[in-house]
Amino acid sequence: TRPSWSEGKKLALEGCAGIPIVRLNPFGILDVKRESEETLRTCGVDYTIFRPCGLNDSWPSNQRPIFSQGDIAVGRINRKDVAQILVSILSAPDATGKTFEAITIANSDGYYPPASSLNTALGRLESDSINGGKGPSEEVVRATYALMQQLLPGEKQSANELAMGQTYEQLDKGEEGRLGKKGEEKVEQAGLAPSS
């Protein structure tokens, strides 16, 4: 949804609105996703919309997920954890009628192991039907954004400074990513192409 935000909201939430995939929006993919989500919400069937953030197979798996709403999450999650969350959602009634994102917290010292059930965390999320069908209020979204920005990987914790194809670690070291500098990314080198 971020490409459709007002300029004021993009500035206020730059840490998630200025990330490469949002800034570049290759082939309008995020617009297609937003339209698809809107169609699903209004089609009359039970649904859950789960938006995993920053798919990264090098990120540790079997980690604790952190859920948020409002399309403000930025971070990393391993595909294995995405699969585990998707399977858990199938038997979690508290996920129904909700849209949410997830990242995971790397648990190097064992302090934050994954919960045995996601029901408690999913139960704390707001239904899409609240606030006149708009989901969580702007106040809740902005407060959640402020918290989620503290969980970004890296030392700079500045996702809006990333170039597409650049890692947080490369940003911290001042290194260029695989697709070039921010604003000069060579997206065609990523092998991206619209599907037919």
Side-chain angles (χ1 to χ4, degrees):
T1 64
R2 300 173 204 173
S4 66
W5 288 356
S6 70
E7 289 305 312
K9 185 172 181 176
K10 287 179 185 177
L11 284 173
L13 306 179
E14 185 181 18
C16 66
I19 64 172
I21 189 67
V22 176
R23 188 171 35 82
L24 298 173
N25 193 10
F27 314 111
I29 187 65
L30 298 178
D31 302 314
V32 172
K33 285 175 61 177
R34 183 190 73 249
E35 292 166 7
S36 299
E37 289 177 2
E38 289 170 2
T39 300
L40 182 58
R41 284 188 199 97
T42 60
C43 75
V45 299
D46 287 344
Y47 69 89
T48 299
I49 297 172
F50 170 49
R51 302 170 174 153
C53 299
L55 297 174
N56 187 318
D57 291 337
S58 297
W59 191 247
S61 62
N62 196 32
Q63 303 301 305
R64 177 174 287 193
I66 304 295
F67 297 106
S68 65
Q69 292 179 287
D71 199 13
I72 48 80
V74 178
R76 293 179 175 157
I77 189 168
N78 189 294
R79 284 173 173 81
K80 291 177 184 176
D81 288 329
V82 170
Q84 184 60 45
I85 291 168
L86 289 169
V87 168
S88 295
I89 287 170
L90 294 173
S91 61
D94 282 335
T96 303
K98 297 178 180 179
T99 300
F100 53 90
E101 308 90 45
I103 61 166
T104 55
I105 297 296
N107 184 25
S108 60
D109 294 327
Y111 293 115
Y112 295 100
S116 58
S117 169
L118 298 180
N119 289 333
T120 300
L122 295 172
R124 291 180 177 136
L125 299 175
E126 301 279 357
S127 168
D128 289 346
S129 64
I130 68 161
N131 194 20
K134 296 178 184 174
S137 69
E138 272 306 302
E139 293 79 22
V140 168
V141 169
R142 288 174 189 250
T144 305
Y145 167 80
L147 176 64
M148 295 298 286
Q149 288 291 294
Q150 297 176 59
L151 299 175
L152 287 171
E155 296 170 12
K156 287 190 178 184
Q157 293 190 318
S158 187
N160 58 309
E161 292 182 29
L162 288 169
M164 186 168 274
Q166 183 182 35
T167 67
Y168 290 95
E169 293 78 12
Q170 289 172 319
L171 179 66
D172 288 343
K173 294 176 186 174
E175 297 173 357
E176 194 172 294
R178 64 184 170 87
L179 300 178
K181 296 178 182 177
K182 179 182 175 184
E184 301 173 15
E185 294 97 338
K186 297 168 184 70
V187 178
E188 65 280 354
Q189 288 182 1
L192 299 174
S195 59
S196 49

